[in-house]
Amino acid sequence: PIRERVAAAMRARGNILYELGLYDEEVVVYDALVTRFREAEEPEIRRRVALVLLEKGETLEELGRHEDEVQAYDLLVEVFGDANELEFRERVAVALLNKGLALDRLGRAEDGIAAYDQLVRRFGTAPEPELQRHVQKTLLYMGITLAHLERYEDAIAAYDALIARMDDECEPDMTTSLAMALFDKGVT
């Protein structure tokens, strides 16, 4: 239990630093937590490591440090990519989506599309609604990126895949995504 308390305290310290706007210091604390507990087997510590890697990536995005952001997401996928628990699978999906967005911001759209494609291949047939929401968002961003690259047929295919996954029971944020996909499909 002492290790769990230490990991919890380190994450809490990082969160406070974030709230204070001390983002670089937050990243240092998160790096220390990941270095110390990356190989941990305790479920609670593993949860904290996965969450901290996502939070680190998001902070690095705010700092405009997109290459470092991509590395944080890559590490999350490396450490938790084979996990069977839904919680970790969902974090991997978020990391791949965020990685694609970061690569797009870096002007590496083709690499971003590859990250999106990796997410769709990995979780496209997953039955869990939590994972399907990430797949849907990814297909939307993939379509947008492909359209910006003037790869219109590929963009339409991504939008068609998104539309095929939607139903009458979708959440409001996904209804907005569907509307954007239909609009973009019409525009392209």
Side-chain angles (χ1 to χ4, degrees), residues 21-83:
L22 302 171
Y23 305 127
D24 289 317
E25 290 88 342
E26 172 200 7
V27 170
V28 169
V29 169
Y30 286 165
D31 282 342
L33 188 150
V34 171
T35 298
R36 185 169 182 172
F37 295 110
R38 174 182 173 172
E39 303 295 327
E41 295 181 11
E42 301 93 331
E44 189 57 37
I45 295 175
R46 287 177 48 81
R47 283 185 198 96
R48 290 190 199 289
V49 171
L51 186 56
V52 158
L53 284 167
L54 271 184
E55 290 172 343
K56 176 184 173 183
E58 291 164 358
T59 297
L60 291 166
E61 189 273 328
E62 288 183 37
L63 290 170
R65 293 172 48 191
H66 303 301
E67 290 288 351
D68 294 332
E69 176 188 2
V70 168
Q71 290 177 4
Y73 298 137
D74 281 343
L75 182 56
L76 191 150
V77 173
E78 176 186 325
V79 173
F80 297 100
D82 294 330

Side-chain angles (χ1 to χ4, degrees), residues 114-180:
Y116 299 146
D117 190 55
Q118 184 181 0
L119 187 154
V120 172
R121 278 187 313 202
R122 185 181 287 234
F123 299 112
T125 60
E128 298 90 352
E130 299 88 346
L131 294 172
Q132 286 307 306
R133 281 192 293 277
H134 297 300
V135 171
Q136 292 166 348
K137 289 177 187 176
T138 299
L139 288 167
L140 175 66
Y141 287 116
M142 182 184 290
I144 292 168
T145 302
L146 289 163
H148 286 187
L149 292 174
E150 298 182 2
R151 291 175 47 191
Y152 300 119
E153 291 173 8
D154 293 332
I156 288 171
Y159 293 140
D160 284 345
L162 169 61
I163 292 164
R165 292 172 180 278
M166 305 301 282
D167 58 30
D168 293 335
E169 304 298 317
C170 63
E171 295 182 18
D173 66 325
M174 289 316 303
T175 303
T176 302
S177 297
L178 175 60
M180 289 174 64

Side-chain angles (χ1 to χ4, degrees), residues 11-22:
R11 177 166 180 258
R13 183 169 189 253
N15 288 341
I16 291 169
L17 291 167
Y18 176 84
E19 292 300 323
L20 292 171
L22 302 171

